[in-house]
Amino acid sequence: MLTPPPASDEAVSQAVRTPSGPQSSAPAASPMRVGALIAVLGALTAVAPLATDMYVPGFPSMGATLHASSSAVQLTLTAFLVGMVVGQLLIGPLSDGWGRRKLLLAGSAGFVLFSLLCAVAPNVELLTAARFLQGFAGAAGMVLARAVITDCFRGADVPRYFALLSQILGIAPIAAPVVGGAVLSLSTWRAVFVVLAVLGALLMFAVLKNVPETLPPERRHSGGLSGTFRTMGTLLKHRAFMGYVLVLSFTSAALFAYISGSSFVFQNVHGVSPTAYSLIFASNAVGMLIAGVTFARLSARVRLNTLLVAGLGVSGLGAVALLVLPLATGENLAVSWICLFVAISGIAIIFPSTMSIGQSLGRSAPGAASALIGGLQFLFGAVASPLVGLFGEDSATPMAAIILIALALAGVCLVLLARPWMSHGEVTHEPVGRGKA
């Protein structure tokens, strides 16, 4: 289901050039090469979310090994998320002036190095620092994958490929604890970071083989670092662009509230076993996959803004039902499950819609646009993650309320800033990128 869709003739004609030849005159990439490129970009998108909480099942043993408190161990997760946010905000704009490939290779190499440093960390302080650096390096793959797609493709292929990246981005954090648990069943928590280092090394070789430079020198931004970040400042002033970015960011907050709070709701409130909870979690992931595939098919015929409004409406409906129905009828496992399935499926439509529109509006500086899209997305997610536990874990109400509030704020940004009726960022429109909304 995650196999990249075949590239159209238009996509192939505008795809990346072979790394060995001149970028302006080399022949266009073949469909097979485009497929390999998308596969590598998908893997680059997955590795940082995998690293986010793949080691979470090992928290108790980690605390014992490092003689650290539970709060100190949890701080290593926060450090990684902060590193991802900072990394995207810096690496994305830099790539508009320096190119994509060298930063992708440097980020992959750094991810390997800092993963190994995490594996051998003798104390929690060094582990926390290494996790920040690991997140910073891992951010390169996430932010530059979106920029490379914007460099290479036009038309209906853009939302289709962003739909694929969005599915990976949504499922990787869900699958990570399961993968980590499998590793921990065979070894210690340190082995998790060794596995991540191996994945990073494989990605580095995959980038070397399949990801050429997609931003030729004549298309790069001049003016050094100051000029690069002035471009980001221009995007920050772009009303429609920031509207879509905030829609995505608040929606990400809703998703992270679900990821962090659903285990308490289903296991503590509804009393299901860890195995049953894993199945419920997996079924909701399947809902995301189905919704993502549906978006990819519809995006060639239906306006992206229409799909975005529909996705937000579906998610909002699920969130309202999740909050209201238990208050009226009492806590019920089936109600919570179905409502969350609907809300999460809608999110799987919001993500690729906003990414596609945002990158289209920021096409004049794809790296800076990708940095703001991804950086704020994870920043809002990191802020929302602990809120469910802060407001109580003996009821589904706190999680439902946080999800609904986040989606409501996304709706406010959509109406007041993005204004979807104006058809910003549609694939048939010229990108706006700079200037006034």
Side-chain angles (χ1 to χ4, degrees):
M1 189 171 292
L2 289 179
T3 302
S8 66
D9 292 339
E10 180 187 4
V12 173
S13 68
Q14 300 193 40
V16 295
R17 309 302 185 185
T18 55
S20 57
Q23 294 180 23
S24 59
S25 59
S30 67
M32 182 177 296
R33 185 166 180 80
V34 171
L37 171 68
I38 296 300
V40 174
L41 296 180
L44 288 167
T45 300
V47 70
L50 274 176
T52 302
D53 51 6
M54 188 171 161
Y55 73 133
V56 166
F59 271 11
S61 61
M62 182 183 298
T65 302
L66 300 176
H67 307 290
S69 66
S70 58
S71 60
V73 172
Q74 290 169 346
L75 186 61
T76 65
L77 178 57
T78 303
F80 182 86
L81 290 172
V82 172
M84 273 208 298
V85 171
V86 175
Q88 290 188 79
L89 291 176
L90 289 177
I91 294 171
L94 288 177
S95 72
D96 287 331
W98 296 359
R100 320 293 186 203
R101 181 176 162 86
K102 65 179 72 172
L103 290 173
L104 271 175
L105 291 172
S108 300
F111 185 82
V112 173
L113 174 63
F114 298 128
S115 295
L116 292 175
L117 184 59
C118 289
V120 300
N123 55 60
V124 74
E125 291 79 14
L126 182 58
L127 178 62
T128 302
R131 282 286 284 169
F132 172 83
L133 295 172
Q134 185 193 35
F136 186 96
M142 296 180 62
V143 69
L144 296 181
R146 292 187 294 268
V148 168
I149 286 179
T150 308
D151 290 340
C152 298
F153 302 102
R154 299 290 187 274
D157 288 304
V158 175
R160 287 197 297 137
Y161 291 137
F162 276 131
L164 176 67
L165 296 190
S166 297
Q167 291 174 63
I168 293 171
L169 196 60
I171 292 170
I174 296 173
V178 178
V179 177
V183 174
L184 288 167
S185 68
L186 302 174
S187 186
T188 69
W189 62 269
R190 296 185 186 275
V192 172
F193 293 106
V194 175
V195 170
L196 288 171
V198 172
L199 289 176
L202 292 174
L203 276 176
M204 184 168 60
F205 287 114
V207 170
L208 277 169
K209 182 178 180 181
N210 296 298
V211 186
E213 180 55 66
T214 61
L215 187 67
E218 62 270 17
R219 287 171 48 200
R220 295 177 189 174
H221 285 215
S222 59
L225 289 178
S226 60
T228 297
F229 287 100
R230 275 197 302 271
T231 302
M232 180 179 280
T234 301
L235 288 173
L236 284 169
K237 299 174 184 177
H238 192 294
R239 174 175 176 171
F241 173 81
M242 287 307 301
Y244 289 108
V245 169
L246 289 173
V247 170
L248 176 63
S249 300
F250 280 117
T251 304
S252 181
L255 178 63
F256 273 78
Y258 158 72
I259 292 174
S260 65
S262 59
S263 61
F264 298 109
V265 169
F266 285 108
Q267 295 184 66
N268 294 355
V269 178
H270 298 301
V272 305
S273 67
T275 301
Y277 168 68
S278 298
L279 293 175
I280 293 171
F281 214 56
S283 72
N284 289 343
V286 170
M288 292 190 73
L289 283 174
I290 294 172
V293 171
T294 301
F295 169 85
R297 293 183 180 278
L298 291 176
S299 61
R301 302 187 299 274
V302 181
R303 292 169 64 253
L304 293 178
N305 282 280
T306 300
L307 291 172
L308 171 57
V309 171
L312 190 56
V314 169
S315 286
L317 180 63
V320 169
L322 181 64
L323 180 64
V324 172
L325 291 180
L327 293 176
T329 63
E331 301 285 359
N332 182 280
L333 173 61
V335 168
S336 295
W337 188 349
I338 293 171
C339 291
L340 282 170
F341 183 92
V342 172
I344 299 307
S345 297
I347 287 175
I349 296 175
I350 298 171
F351 273 21
S353 301
T354 48
M355 285 183 185
S356 301
I357 295 171
Q359 288 290 161
S360 177
L361 290 171
R363 186 176 285 281
S364 64
S370 181
L372 288 170
I373 289 170
L376 292 181
Q377 178 185 7
F378 274 88
L379 177 61
F380 279 51
V383 171
S385 292
L387 293 181
V388 176
L390 182 65
F391 288 103
E393 301 165 359
D394 56 353
S395 167
T397 301
M399 182 184 71
I402 292 168
I403 291 174
L404 181 57
I405 290 170
L407 291 174
L409 291 172
V412 170
C413 293
L414 183 66
V415 173
L416 297 184
L417 298 177
R419 296 171 295 175
W421 58 88
M422 297 184 69
S423 297
H424 292 296
E426 294 293 340
V427 294
T428 55
H429 291 185
E430 287 297 322
V432 179
R434 296 172 181 259
K436 297 180 179 180

